[in-house]
Amino acid sequence: MGYSIGQAAKMTGLTAHTLRYYEKEGLLPFLKKNSSGLRVFSDNDLGWLAMIECLKDTGMPLKGIKQYIDWFIEGNSTLPQRLEMFKNQKIKIEEQIALFNKHLQKINYKIKLYEEAVKKGSLELAAAEKHLSEEKKRLYGPDK
């Protein structure tokens, strides 16, 4: 089935401007145009857009995404490069997740601290609670 740029934008949550930009940058090499020169997005194109957004959301620059697409077009001879690219991206994502989990622990500590402070009416009294002071040392170190 074919979709107009407006329909594709609505279906993907991207703007028409972004879709045009992706095409201009060579990220949509399979995109067809009708006899009037209007872009016609296929289900396959929507799948590519989903992959582009996935990679972009995980921090891959457009240049890297373009490289992946070029390798895809080159065919099976580039399978090892594509595999390595995805393995490297996975490592980067896992590092980001670990970092965010560390940050989440600190934010959860602050939530507990401030919930206790609201109950006691004092941040100092809440911070003096043994379980909270121990958690603070664990998260921030003994001198923080």
Side-chain angles (χ1 to χ4, degrees):
M1 178 157 192
Y3 308 100
S4 69
I5 194 166
Q7 291 170 317
K10 190 172 187 178
M11 294 168 78
T12 61
L14 301 170
T15 65
H17 174 78
T18 298
L19 296 176
R20 286 186 206 97
Y21 178 75
Y22 285 175
E23 181 190 15
K24 182 180 138 224
E25 292 299 311
L27 301 179
L28 296 170
F30 309 110
L31 187 63
K32 305 282 187 238
K33 293 189 178 181
N34 66 17
S35 59
S36 301
L38 298 174
R39 295 165 184 86
V40 179
F41 290 80
S42 68
D43 290 328
N44 188 53
D45 294 321
L46 297 180
W48 274 105
L49 287 166
M51 190 72 237
I52 290 166
E53 288 303 295
C54 169
L55 293 173
K56 197 173 86 154
D57 286 347
T58 62
M60 184 178 285
L62 292 182
K63 183 178 177 182
I65 298 168
K66 173 75 166 89
Q67 180 63 73
Y68 166 65
I69 292 167
D70 290 345
W71 282 335
F72 182 87
I73 291 168
E74 283 182 49
N76 289 337
S77 66
T78 64
L79 289 173
Q81 292 96 323
R82 288 183 268 164
L83 174 61
E84 194 62 28
M85 175 181 271
F86 280 104
K87 284 182 175 181
N88 288 335
Q89 196 64 19
K90 179 182 182 228
I91 290 167
K92 289 176 187 174
I93 293 167
E94 289 169 342
E95 289 169 353
Q96 288 176 328
I97 290 169
L99 180 62
F100 281 133
N101 279 329
K102 285 172 82 174
H103 294 326
L104 181 60
Q105 289 176 10
K106 290 176 182 175
I107 288 172
N108 282 334
Y109 159 76
K110 289 293 189 180
I111 290 170
K112 290 179 205 170
L113 175 67
Y114 284 105
E115 285 175 344
E116 191 66 27
V118 167
K119 283 183 203 171
K120 294 187 177 290
S122 164
L123 183 60
E124 292 75 20
L125 290 175
E129 288 288 321
K130 183 176 179 173
H131 71 282
L132 289 172
S133 64
E134 287 174 357
E135 188 169 354
K136 181 180 180 184
K137 286 178 189 173
R138 182 181 65 78
L139 293 171
Y140 296 96
D143 298 329
K144 305 284 182 207

